[in-house]
Amino acid sequence: MRLATFHSVSATLTLLSTLKTIQMITGFVSPCPPAPSPSGVSGVSVMMVRIPTVTTTTTTSLTKKFMSYNTRSIHLKQRLTSLHPCLSIAGISSSSSCLQSTSSSSTPPPPSTTTATTTTTNPIAINPLVADVKVSATVQIFSNVKQMQSQGMEVTSLCVGEPDFAPPTSVLQAASQALLGGDTRYTAVTGTAALRKAIARDLKDRKGLDYDFEKEIVVGNGAKQCVYQGVLATVGKGDAVIVPAPYWPSYPEMVALAGGETIVLPTKESDGYLLTAEALEKCLEESCSHGKNVKLLILCNPSNPTGGVHDKKRLEELAQVLIKYPQVAILADEIYERLVYDEEHVSFASISPEMFQRTMTVNGFSKAYAMTGMRLGYMAAPQPLAKAVTTIQSQLTSCAGSVSQAAGVAALNEVSEEEMASNVEIMKNKRDYVIDRLNQMDGVTLKVPPKGAFYVLPDVSSYYNGDDTQLCLDLLETKRLALVPGSSFGAPGTVRISYATSMEELQVAMDKLEEFLKQQQ
């Protein structure tokens, strides 16, 4: 008999289930009664497993089966060890050499006298790049909210940027038709020709940007993937990326994953948290004088989390600075460009031919068309950049979902401008309501009203000595109202409010916030 020894914790059912799994896989295992605990192993029981001898008459027929058994057993050993340091399987080899010919006699050899020992495995070392990456505060708070709601608690959440309205009817119909029509196969890595043509036409008609749909547009699984791939395509180990603050929390973490360094460039509340040419030039001069290899500027316009919008004049001023630094690419995150209230949005790539050649424009369908769960975004960029991004995506996720792409075609080709304008007007009314309520709260300031997206970033530093994180935690605990602390966005002393919800929900939320702040006075 060949023996395998299991050292188990008290969870006997776990072992019995494991033994059953091995038996189902191999047909070789039969459990024996538990044996006494070996000396020196406290609180550990031993269970013996008999694996019948493999004779020469069965070697040929069982070779393939044993090879499968041996491989799966190795994986099982690793899983068991991860359950508890004292849980292991003895006698499992990592190679096929354990399959040996024995005597054709049916008499089994005497039992092994191997002493049971406690074995542990070294913990798997996590890549330091990943170990240092922070979990998104927005995602973490949203997860907490969902958990509280699953426990029956009523929670008012203004923490996630997700429109409360449904996608347009034509989008839903296109998705349904794609499913029923069998349009469920892989597409080209860069997306379907129909969608890329629609994107190119939309950018031409609305933004004055001329892209080759065959070579300069890459469709991805959401704008977030496209942003990350843009970072990977331009930033290497030791390179620097300028990120104006307040910023979307994922930007610095994406740079870290690429091995780069984030240079946070603060902006002023008095400027509406918009980037100025003076601040950008000073940052570039100082960074280069200190030997920083600045490769990328990330410009979110309209801004998450402030809702600020850089107009054409300001973008032109920024471009004049960047002309002096031709090695710096620009990643223009314009996912909120359809949600601008008081002026027309201008794409950074349209500012000048030189800026066009250096800009990666990222957009998507989540915010304007409420297609958040469909995970569909795109990047438009000159061919060298688009080709690099395509190469990265081909090794990560291949293509975006075919059904989502069909829905994207409908969004761009069939949704009327009147319907889009109606949604913008609804969002504007919600913005105005939230601003009006905030202006009535003592100790809350909002110097420049946001002109885009669906966020407000008021200053609440007069409370909690500026500890916005503790404020949000207490607000969630006592009032069941979820907001995101501004420190997560590089703006300590503020909170981000998303008004992309129903007016009824906003009224409840503002009442809760006002009542909570009054209690702190």
Side-chain angles (χ1 to χ4, degrees):
M1 291 278 181
R2 187 179 300 276
L3 298 179
T5 305
F6 286 84
H7 300 290
S8 75
V9 290
S10 58
T12 305
L13 289 177
T14 301
L15 284 179
L16 291 176
S17 175
T18 302
L19 294 173
K20 186 64 176 177
T21 301
I22 297 177
Q23 190 174 38
M24 290 173 63
I25 295 171
T26 67
F28 288 168
V29 179
S30 59
C32 296
S37 174
S39 60
V41 184
S42 176
V44 178
S45 62
V46 178
M47 180 172 291
M48 307 300 292
V49 181
R50 298 186 184 278
I51 302 178
T53 300
V54 182
T55 68
T56 53
T57 58
T58 59
T59 297
T60 301
S61 61
L62 294 179
T63 296
K64 291 184 179 180
K65 190 173 186 180
F66 188 88
M67 290 291 290
S68 176
Y69 150 75
N70 191 52
T71 301
R72 298 186 190 185
S73 296
I74 293 167
H75 294 166
L76 180 59
K77 178 179 180 179
Q78 295 170 346
R79 289 194 62 188
L80 287 173
T81 304
S82 70
L83 292 174
H84 193 277
C86 296
L87 190 57
S88 64
I89 306 176
I92 293 180
S93 169
S94 61
S95 70
S96 60
S97 62
C98 59
L99 182 59
Q100 300 174 351
S101 296
T102 62
S103 171
S104 60
S105 171
S106 61
T107 305
S112 170
T113 58
T114 302
T115 302
T117 58
T118 301
T119 61
T120 59
T121 58
N122 294 326
I124 302 299
I126 302 300
N127 185 331
L129 289 177
V130 178
D132 293 339
V133 171
K134 301 180 182 67
V135 177
S136 169
T138 305
V139 173
Q140 194 168 25
I141 293 174
F142 183 66
S143 298
N144 292 341
V145 169
K146 288 300 182 183
Q147 183 176 1
M148 293 170 69
Q149 291 174 337
S150 69
Q151 296 170 353
M153 302 181 188
E154 291 188 8
V155 182
T156 305
S157 176
L158 302 183
C159 67
V160 176
E162 184 173 45
D164 64 312
F165 52 83
T169 301
S170 57
V171 169
L172 298 176
Q173 289 175 343
S176 177
Q177 291 170 3
L179 282 170
L180 296 176
D183 189 7
T184 56
R185 304 294 184 180
Y186 290 130
T187 73
V189 171
T190 53
T192 64
L195 179 54
R196 285 180 283 123
K197 285 180 180 179
I199 292 170
R201 179 197 53 75
D202 182 64
L203 290 173
K204 178 70 173 178
D205 293 347
R206 294 193 305 109
K207 302 297 181 182
L209 296 171
D210 192 2
Y211 288 100
D212 182 345
F213 80 92
E214 292 183 328
K215 300 178 181 179
E216 297 181 320
I217 292 176
V218 182
V219 176
N221 294 275
K224 191 170 192 175
Q225 178 182 1
C226 297
V227 170
Y228 184 37
Q229 292 175 167
V231 172
L232 288 176
T234 54
V235 179
K237 185 176 181 181
D239 292 337
V241 179
I242 295 177
V243 178
Y247 49 74
W248 185 42
S250 292
Y251 293 147
E253 308 310 321
M254 290 175 176
V255 172
L257 284 171
E261 173 191 358
T262 295
I263 300 175
V264 175
L265 176 53
T267 58
K268 299 178 181 179
E269 182 186 9
S270 58
D271 291 327
Y273 293 116
L274 300 176
L275 180 60
T276 65
E278 294 78 14
L280 177 60
E281 186 155 27
K282 181 179 179 181
C283 179
L284 284 166
E285 288 176 350
E286 292 180 352
S287 299
C288 293
S289 66
H290 287 86
K292 303 289 187 182
N293 185 27
V294 181
K295 294 290 295 296
L296 184 67
L297 165 67
I298 298 181
L299 184 64
C300 186
N301 186 39
S303 168
N304 174 12
T306 71
V309 178
H310 294 73
D311 60 21
K312 184 176 182 180
K313 181 176 181 297
R314 190 177 293 266
L315 293 178
E316 289 174 340
E317 292 170 350
L318 296 176
Q320 287 302 311
V321 174
L322 290 166
I323 287 176
K324 305 173 187 177
Y325 300 88
Q327 81 281 7
V328 179
I330 301 91
L331 197 156
D333 185 350
E334 300 180 354
I335 186 67
Y336 297 97
E337 57 89 15
R338 275 286 199 171
L339 297 170
V340 175
Y341 309 120
D342 303 315
E343 58 192 63
E344 183 180 356
H345 177 270
V346 176
S347 286
F348 189 78
S350 69
I351 293 301
S352 69
E354 182 172 351
M355 292 302 106
F356 178 90
Q357 292 300 325
R358 294 163 55 183
T359 300
M360 297 173 284
T361 300
V362 174
N363 207 331
F365 298 80
S366 294
K367 312 303 180 181
Y369 298 97
M371 294 166 58
T372 52
M374 294 189 183
R375 308 312 304 134
L376 190 66
Y378 65 84
M379 173 185 287
Q383 185 178 355
L385 291 169
K387 183 178 180 180
V389 167
T390 301
T391 299
I392 294 169
Q393 182 165 305
S394 71
Q395 299 298 344
L396 292 180
T397 60
S398 187
C399 60
S402 57
V403 174
S404 297
Q405 292 190 59
V409 173
L412 294 176
N413 291 345
E414 300 179 26
V415 178
S416 67
E417 287 300 314
E418 290 75 18
E419 183 173 357
M420 298 298 295
S422 175
N423 290 335
V424 171
E425 187 63 28
I426 292 172
M427 282 293 184
K428 181 180 179 181
N429 291 336
K430 293 176 181 178
R431 179 204 65 168
D432 294 344
Y433 171 77
V434 170
I435 291 174
D436 182 62
R437 290 295 304 269
L438 291 174
N439 287 335
Q440 298 176 36
M441 299 180 193
D442 292 337
V444 178
T445 61
L446 186 67
K447 292 184 178 180
V448 180
K451 296 183 178 181
F454 37 61
Y455 305 111
V456 179
L457 193 75
D459 186 309
V460 293
S461 58
S462 61
Y463 295 93
Y464 281 78
N465 294 318
D467 189 345
D468 52 286
T469 299
Q470 192 59 50
L471 184 153
C472 287
L473 289 173
D474 289 351
L475 183 61
L476 180 60
E477 181 179 354
T478 61
K479 296 299 181 181
R480 300 289 187 263
L481 173 60
L483 305 180
V484 186
S487 56
S488 303
F489 304 92
T494 67
V495 294
R496 191 192 75 169
I497 297 173
S498 169
Y499 52 85
T501 187
S502 67
M503 185 63 77
E504 292 75 18
E505 191 86 344
L506 286 176
Q507 292 172 347
V508 172
M510 292 299 102
D511 289 344
K512 287 183 176 182
L513 178 59
E514 185 172 18
E515 182 179 328
F516 174 81
L517 294 179
K518 284 181 178 180
Q519 293 171 351
Q520 312 309 314
Q521 295 174 356

